[in-house]
């Protein structure tokens, strides 16, 4: 080609990055990698290997060991052995190791970038400018958290041995997101990379060796899903952190139910990219390139659903098509390409099948005129228009370079369409009107909201989903809580904390059936007293076996009504913290007035002394004061992230929560769980103590006289575990707290997997609710909320 021709076409020539250093690294291991266990390279017991292929060229890169159960066991044992010394090392020494890792990654950043591009097929421009700098940034940031751990999180301790399973779309970055906070908080880890992309994790193992990281602190075991499953099911792992598909996330949720393992899940998404008519459309087009063609669209938070205001839809589609024509696809090591290869043939086939389905369902497909390279696994950027919101391609995560466009007319319709998904990972909002953007952001059910930007990440900000996109956050202060546990948890009891009953002077009941007065307490649903659907009631006896009264026996239908009533209330969650505090103080005030009456009820049910009952009422009043005080103080953070950006970390209510109260401490157990949940703006469905429910059924009179809006607190009495299971399975319940038996908690964790609702409880341990350190605190508010990070760039 002549220079004149080049000037005429302005066509780019190839600009290949050298693969030499990466090839040398592979050779240094004879292109055959072992497992990294206890600080050494060890052959797998299975003796089996699988191949790692460059998806852009189909070249064979290396053979990778397949770890079996025995190998997983060795790695877990190494991590367990290393744990005490790693903890004893202290914050500062751990910080130095993390800093050393960050420095080494920076020093070898080009090697990491090239190796990542060869292994995954993603453009070198992305690994060089985005993935690897973010990896280094993550280790620097967490070197800082390691240093600050003892002051900032002094009431927390490490979780222990952490099993981490990561996907192939951001191999080293996901490793950093997992390993950096885990080590910073004093844990040791066993990490399994995805089978398609193990190489940078293995290079990372070399770095751990080079810096002299104590043996066993980081163990890398390679293999398929079965290796991951062996890690999940290993008895001596204290936590599982997983990023990957919602399907596998659900398997992990079920497999770990009742095991006491802490879990965090970062799963799939179908994130909306919302464009209002006043948006700067040229910026929007570049935003779309970043949203869906970054990493070939193999991004959990890809803006894969374009929602565009009808008035500008055709203009925008035209601009997008024009831009798509100019995108360059090719070898990942070519510095001039925008789109690399799809990670593996199996993923390519998933994309092809879904696109075919989109066409069959009647959506209009558009692809650029140029062709993809013949070798390697490539798929062209694709735009679907005329898409129905319920079609498969609008609902299912395609995980490829496929944009699905729909239009909307009003702002409300935009929000409805955006939330019309089972996922909730991210959203991107484009408008020049900041008032509109900040009005829409809180209405979208997603863990991240990018305003006039997209796919921006930083170690200082949390990342993670709502709904079936999983739970837990990675990054930022909020991400640290996934790798620690409250020290106070160690003091929980194995048995319910109750005082021995004694005969009291207060008559056990004034409503015995023989008196002819109907004393059956009703349930409380949607601000009204409600009779049970089944028409049954339950006799409640005191702890000494005396008749106290009867309560309604709620069933599935009562739960359904209560959940509906909770959803019908949009008022409570939208109030300011101050407005909610007013109501909470009012509740406390009304309880003070009826202090004696509530104490008597406690005596009747649990046969404690009057003074103990009064203490329980007084503690309940004080607890309500605590949360009323917190209502306008437990707030978010403004994170220091990227240049010229305000990142707001805002705690939001989960939505509708189910609270299964402890049986013991009938009033205080109810107050200690229900009040923090509503403090954060949730509406709740409460199953009170099964054995002593009257403190809760008496409480609705207090709610009615304290300006609590109807539907904010709904009370369904009956068989605790039966009702809890109905709530755990309910798709419209966003979170569930369960305070009861170990078996009951296991059921809750298992059944909650269907819609991935958040669960919390004591896993068969018992709190002393009278002890402030155990019965109240920020931990309750944290579990009643989830953090949304809102990114707002600025600049004139
Ligand atoms: P998976 O969820 O299967 O893989 C993620 C990780 O989990 C991999 O390391 C995988 O191992 C491992 N794994 C697989 N099965 C189990 C199991 N039963 N127990 C424990 N670990 C397991 O994702 P895929 O790679 O199969 O991709 C399929 C789809 O998942 C994609 O099309 C996309 O929709 C979604 N996905 C979402 C990601 C996200 O970031 N949210 C990332 C990747 C995929 P191995 O790879 O060896 O099988």
């Amino acid at each position: 080609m002549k220079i004149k021709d080049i000037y005429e076409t302005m066509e780019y020539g190839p600009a290949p990055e050298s693969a030499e250093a990466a090839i040398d690294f592979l050779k240094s291991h004879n292109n055959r990698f072992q497992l990294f266990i206890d600080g050494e390279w060890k052959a797998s017991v299975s003796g089996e290997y699988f191949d790692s292929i460059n998806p852009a060229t189909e070249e064979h890169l290396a053979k990778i060991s397949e770890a079996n159960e025995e190998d997983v066991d060795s790695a877990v044992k190494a991590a367990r052995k290393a744990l005490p010394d790693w903890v004893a090392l202290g914050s500062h020494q751990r910080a130095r190791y993390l800093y050393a890792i960050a420095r080494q990654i920076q020093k070898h950043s080009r090697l990491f970038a090239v190796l990542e591009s060869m292994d995954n097929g993603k453009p070198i421009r992305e690994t060089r400018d985005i993935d690897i700098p973010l990896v280094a940034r993550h280790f620097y940031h967490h070197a800082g958290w390691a240093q600050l751990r003892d002051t900032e999180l002094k009431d927390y301790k490490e979780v222990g041995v952490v099993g981490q399973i990561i996907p192939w779309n951001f191999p080293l970055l996901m490793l950093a997101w997992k390993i950096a906070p885990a080590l910073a908080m004093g844990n040791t880890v066993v990490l399994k990379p995805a089978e398609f992309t193990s190489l940078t994790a293995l290079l990372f193992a070399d770095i751990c060796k080079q810096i002299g990281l104590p043996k066993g602190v980081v163990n890398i075991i390679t293999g398929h899903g079965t290796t991951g499953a062996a890690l999940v099911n290993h008895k001596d792992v204290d936590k599982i952190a997983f990023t990957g598909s919602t399907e596998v996330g659900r398997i992990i949720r079920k497999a770990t139910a009742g095991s006491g393992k802490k879990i965090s899940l970062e799963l799939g998404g179908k994130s909306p990219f919302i464009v209002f008519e006043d948006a700067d459309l040229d910026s929007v087009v570049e935003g779309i390139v970043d949203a869906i063609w970054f990493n070939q669209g193999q991004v959990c938070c890809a803006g894969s659903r374009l929602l565009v205001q009808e008035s500008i839809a055709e203009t925008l589609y035209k601009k997008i098509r024009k831009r798509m024509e100019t995108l360059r696809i090719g070898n990942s090591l070519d510095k001039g390409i925008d789109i690399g290869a799809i990670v593996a043939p199996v993923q390519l086939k998933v994309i092809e099948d879904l696109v075919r389905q989109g066409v069959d369902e009647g959506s209009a497909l558009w692809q650029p005129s140029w062709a993809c390279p013949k070798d390697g696994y490539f798929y062209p950027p694709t735009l679907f228009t005329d898409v129905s919101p319920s079609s498969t391609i609008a609902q299912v995560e395609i995980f490829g370079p496929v944009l699905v466009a729909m239009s909307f007319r009003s702002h409300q319709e935009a929000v409805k369409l955006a939330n019309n998904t089972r996922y909730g990972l991210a959203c991107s909002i484009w408008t020049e009107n900041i008032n509109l953007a900040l009005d829409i952001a809180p209405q979208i059910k997603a863990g991240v909201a990018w305003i006039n930007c997209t796919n921006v990440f930083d170690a200082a900000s949390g990342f993670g989903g709502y709904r079936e996109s999983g739970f837990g956050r990675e990054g930022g202060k909020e991400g640290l809580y996934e790798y620690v546990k409250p020290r106070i948890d160690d003091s929980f009891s194995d048995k319910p904390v109750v005082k021995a009953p004694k005969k009291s002077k207060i008559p056990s009941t004034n409503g015995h059936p023989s008196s002819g007065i109907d004393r059956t307490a009703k349930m409380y649903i949607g601000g009204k007293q409600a009779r049970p659907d089944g028409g049954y009631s339950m006799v409640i006896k005191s702890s000494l076996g005396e008749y106290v009264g009867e309560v309604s026996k709620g069933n599935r239908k009562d739960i359904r009504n209560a959940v509906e009533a909770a959803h019908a209330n949009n008022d409570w969650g939208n109030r300011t913290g101050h407005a909610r505090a007013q109501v909470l103080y009012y509740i406390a005030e009304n309880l003070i007035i009826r202090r004696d009456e509530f104490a008597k009820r406690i005596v009747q049910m649990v046969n404690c002394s009057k003074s103990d009952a009064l203490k329980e009422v007084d503690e309940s009043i004080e607890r309500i004061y605590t949360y009323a005080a917190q209502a306008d103080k437990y707030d978010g953070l403004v994170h220091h992230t990227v240049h010229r950006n305000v990142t707001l970390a805002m705690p939001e209510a989960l939505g509708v929560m189910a609270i299964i109260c402890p049986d013991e401490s009938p009033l205080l157990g109810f107050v200690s769980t229900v009040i923090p949940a509503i403090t954060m703006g949730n509406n709740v469905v409460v199953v009170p103590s099964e054995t002593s429910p009257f403190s809760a059924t008496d409480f609705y009179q207090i709610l009615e006289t304290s300006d609590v809006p109807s539907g904010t607190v709904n009370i369904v009495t009956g068989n605790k575990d039966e009702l809890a299971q109905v709530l755990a399975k309910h798709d419209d319940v966003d979170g569930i707290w369960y305070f009861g038996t170990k078996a009951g908690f296991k059921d809750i964790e298992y059944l909650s997997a269907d819609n991935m609702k958040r669960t919390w409880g004591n896993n068969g341990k018992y709190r002393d609710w009278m002890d402030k350190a155990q019965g109240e605190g920020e931990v309750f508010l944290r579990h009643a909320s989830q953090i949304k990070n809102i990114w707002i760039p600025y600049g004139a």
Side-chain angles (χ1 to χ4, degrees):
M1 190 182 275
K2 294 200 171 118
I3 293 182
K4 183 170 168 275
D5 298 333
I6 295 174
Y7 269 113
E8 261 164 22
T9 60
M10 288 304 279
E11 187 51 61
Y12 291 89
E17 172 78 32
S18 165
E20 208 179 309
I23 291 169
D24 284 350
F25 162 72
L26 297 176
K27 280 190 187 150
S28 73
H29 284 260
N30 297 323
N31 294 66
R32 181 179 282 261
F33 286 86
Q34 299 187 325
L35 308 171
F36 186 67
I37 296 176
D38 206 14
E40 306 292 342
W41 293 107
K42 293 203 173 129
S44 70
V45 176
S46 77
E48 285 173 21
Y49 289 85
F50 58 92
D51 296 316
S52 200
I53 306 288
N54 179 339
T57 60
E58 299 182 46
E59 273 171 294
H60 183 266
L61 296 173
K63 288 213 165 284
I64 314 279
S65 287
E66 173 85 40
N68 67 10
E69 267 183 42
E70 235 176 286
D71 297 311
V72 171
D73 186 50
S74 305
V76 172
K77 281 198 174 111
R80 177 63 62 194
K81 193 172 76 187
L83 184 66
D85 286 351
W86 182 243
V87 171
L89 207 56
S91 279
H92 176 60
Q93 291 305 327
R94 285 195 297 268
R96 288 171 81 143
Y97 280 116
L98 283 159
Y99 173 74
I101 293 174
R103 289 288 297 132
Q104 285 301 104
I105 285 170
Q106 244 175 354
K107 268 197 258 175
H108 299 292
S109 60
R110 192 53 68 94
L111 170 58
F112 271 114
V114 172
L115 191 63
E116 193 80 302
S117 284
M118 287 166 70
D119 201 17
N120 168 281
K122 60 167 72 185
I124 181 75
R125 213 162 43 81
E126 291 178 10
T127 51
R128 183 196 61 197
D129 300 345
I130 300 170
D131 292 42
I132 309 303
L134 273 172
V135 170
R137 161 87 180 116
H138 225 77
F139 278 100
Y140 275 120
H141 182 76
H142 285 89
W145 279 126
Q147 178 70 25
L148 298 175
R149 205 211 96 123
D150 290 349
T151 43
E152 292 279 320
L153 289 153
K154 57 181 181 310
D155 296 332
Y156 293 83
K157 62 188 280 198
E158 70 288 342
V159 179
V161 172
V162 182
Q164 307 185 312
I165 300 166
I166 55 173
W168 40 260
N169 53 349
F170 292 91
L172 192 68
L173 186 57
M174 289 303 102
L175 173 149
W177 282 21
K178 298 274 179 294
I179 290 188
L183 298 197
M185 295 298 105
N187 304 278
T188 55
V189 305
V190 178
L191 176 130
K192 189 201 92 66
E195 99 208 42
F196 299 136
T197 54
S198 310
L199 294 177
T200 47
L202 297 165
L203 174 57
F204 179 83
D206 265 353
I207 297 273
C208 294
K209 248 172 120 79
Q210 276 166 26
I211 64 150
L213 188 73
K215 290 181 174 197
V217 170
V218 168
N219 303 274
I220 311 274
I221 47 160
T222 44
H224 288 78
T226 44
T227 310
L231 185 56
V232 167
N233 294 322
H234 196 290
K235 295 248 171 329
D236 203 27
V237 168
D238 300 303
K239 173 191 163 83
I240 293 291
F242 171 80
T243 299
S245 60
T246 295
E247 288 63 34
V248 175
R250 201 168 272 131
I251 293 172
I252 292 176
R253 167 71 292 182
K254 288 187 174 172
T256 55
S259 66
K261 285 184 186 128
K262 200 174 156 96
I263 62 170
S264 47
L265 302 174
E266 201 267 274
L267 309 175
K270 190 79 184 173
S271 299
F273 187 106
I274 311 166
V275 185
F276 291 98
E277 60 189 357
D278 66 343
D280 168 1
L281 292 192
D282 292 322
S283 302
V284 166
V285 171
E286 290 315 306
I288 288 170
V289 172
D290 284 344
I292 189 69
W293 294 310
F294 170 56
N295 200 17
Q296 298 71 250
Q298 302 169 124
V299 182
C300 48
C301 52
S304 51
R305 279 189 303 143
L306 172 64
L307 309 179
V308 48
Q309 198 147 12
E310 201 174 77
S311 52
I312 52 153
E314 283 310 320
T315 316
L316 181 60
Y317 296 158
K318 223 161 141 189
K319 280 176 182 279
I320 298 171
R321 288 186 192 117
K322 192 168 167 213
R323 182 70 177 92
M324 286 165 78
E325 277 293 353
T326 66
L327 290 169
R328 290 168 51 80
I329 197 163
N331 189 328
S332 52
L333 288 188
D334 183 341
K335 285 176 254 182
I337 61 137
D338 303 301
I339 301 181
I342 301 298
V343 74
V346 57
Q347 285 299 123
L348 188 60
K349 181 164 182 325
V350 171
I351 299 168
E352 287 166 349
D353 288 351
L354 280 164
V355 167
R356 206 167 303 123
Q357 204 168 337
V359 174
D360 292 348
E361 283 180 353
S363 303
L365 169 107
W366 195 90
Q367 289 174 335
S369 59
W370 46 259
C372 290
K374 294 242 161 9
D375 294 332
Y377 319 129
F378 292 93
Y379 198 83
T382 300
L383 171 68
F384 270 112
T385 50
D386 296 334
V387 179
S388 137
S390 59
S391 64
T392 310
I393 54 167
Q395 291 296 328
V396 169
E397 184 181 38
I398 299 176
F399 228 63
V402 182
L403 181 63
V404 170
M406 285 161 276
S407 64
F408 63 86
R409 289 186 181 162
S410 65
H411 299 169
Q412 292 92 317
E413 198 192 348
V415 171
K416 258 200 179 145
L417 271 177
N419 286 332
N420 179 22
T421 167
R422 61 195 177 110
Y423 296 113
L425 197 47
C427 67
S428 188
I429 301 163
W430 294 75
T431 165
E432 290 300 291
N433 180 349
I434 189 70
N435 297 329
L436 174 61
L438 288 176
D439 182 39
I440 299 293
Q443 295 185 58
I444 311 290
K445 303 251 180 271
V448 180
W450 287 298
I451 293 176
N452 291 331
C453 60
T454 195
N455 275 342
V456 196
F457 309 98
D458 188 76
S461 166
F463 180 88
Y466 284 24
R467 298 172 161 183
E468 291 184 38
S469 291
F471 41 77
R473 294 290 177 266
E474 297 188 291
K477 187 165 187 190
E478 56 263 38
L480 303 179
Y481 292 105
E482 302 303 327
Y483 289 98
V484 289
K485 59 181 184 190
R487 290 186 193 281
I488 195 77
D489 288 10
D490 290 343
S491 54
F492 296 163
S493 159
D494 290 330
K495 291 203 185 102
V497 183
V498 284
K499 295 223 160 52
K502 47 186 159 197
K503 206 79 192 130
S504 89
K505 293 188 188 74
I506 298 173
S508 64
T509 180
N510 50 7
H512 193 274
S514 60
S515 69
I517 306 165
D518 175 17
R519 300 290 301 173
T520 304
K522 295 197 185 57
M523 300 183 297
Y524 189 61
I525 296 176
K528 294 195 186 82
Q529 297 186 30
R531 287 181 200 286
D533 166 73
Y536 287 102
S537 55
M538 284 166 45
V539 170
I540 302 297
K541 293 191 172 158
S542 76
S543 48
L544 291 176
E546 294 158 329
Y547 177 91
V548 184
E550 284 171 47
V551 286
S552 306
K553 190 163 190 270
N555 66 12
R556 181 178 299 272
K557 200 156 169 225
D558 299 308
I559 292 287
R560 197 186 69 197
N561 294 341
V563 173
E564 260 172 33
H567 273 289
N569 174 358
N570 294 321
D571 170 14
W572 182 247
N574 285 330
R575 293 191 186 187
T576 62
H578 172 64
R580 286 201 290 268
Q582 302 271 295
V583 173
L584 295 175
Y585 282 124
Y586 202 4
I587 292 174
E589 207 177 294
N590 281 321
L591 189 55
I592 292 168
I593 296 167
R594 299 173 65 171
R595 176 174 178 261
D596 223 45
E597 183 191 326
F598 271 82
K600 270 191 194 157
R601 250 317 194 200
I602 294 170
V603 174
Q604 280 176 351
M605 292 185 291
V606 303
N607 306 96
C608 62
S609 69
K610 178 84 187 289
S611 72
D612 277 347
L614 282 169
K615 269 191 212 143
E616 183 171 336
V617 179
D618 290 343
E619 192 57 41
S620 300
I621 292 163
E622 200 174 327
R623 201 144 291 172
I624 299 169
Y625 259 73
T626 299
Y627 290 114
Q630 286 278 18
D632 61 352
K633 294 175 193 64
Y634 183 83
D635 52 19
L637 291 168
V638 180
H639 288 311
H640 288 285
T641 56
V642 297
H643 193 46
R644 293 165 89 77
N645 200 303
V646 177
T647 309
L648 308 174
M650 312 209 349
E652 287 187 348
L654 298 185
V656 169
M657 284 180 68
I659 311 263
I660 318 300
C661 295
D663 280 334
E664 63 279 13
S665 303
L667 177 64
L668 187 56
F670 174 87
V671 162
S672 304
T673 50
V674 172
I675 299 295
I678 65 170
T679 298
M680 294 312 297
N682 296 285
N683 296 323
V684 295
V685 176
V686 190
V687 177
S689 165
E690 179 177 330
T691 48
S692 316
F694 292 114
S695 295
T697 52
D698 290 350
F699 207 86
Y700 58 61
Q701 292 158 17
I702 294 209
L703 299 172
E704 274 172 352
T705 49
S706 308
D707 291 345
V708 177
S710 59
T712 299
V713 179
N714 305 278
I715 302 171
V716 180
T717 47
N719 182 298
K720 172 174 172 166
D721 284 318
E722 246 172 63
L723 297 174
Q725 289 180 19
V726 176
L727 282 159
K729 278 192 264 185
H730 201 300
D731 268 352
D732 271 343
V733 172
D734 304 295
I736 181 163
W737 290 359
Y738 175 91
F739 296 96
T741 62
K742 196 168 166 56
F745 189 59
K746 179 179 179 176
D747 289 341
I748 296 304
E749 288 198 318
Y750 188 89
L751 296 171
S752 68
D754 281 347
N755 75 339
M756 284 292 174
K757 58 176 72 68
R758 280 99 188 95
T759 55
W760 189 49
N762 297 335
N763 192 29
K765 296 271 183 182
Y766 296 87
R767 288 171 193 260
D768 177 357
W769 296 100
M770 287 298 288
D771 176 2
K772 276 196 184 47
Q774 294 192 25
E776 69 177 43
E778 280 194 5
V779 69
F780 286 80
L781 299 174
R782 201 164 51 251
H783 283 282
S785 56
Q786 51 196 341
I787 298 212
K788 173 179 280 174
N789 274 280
I790 304 179
W791 296 69
I792 312 162
Y794 58 86

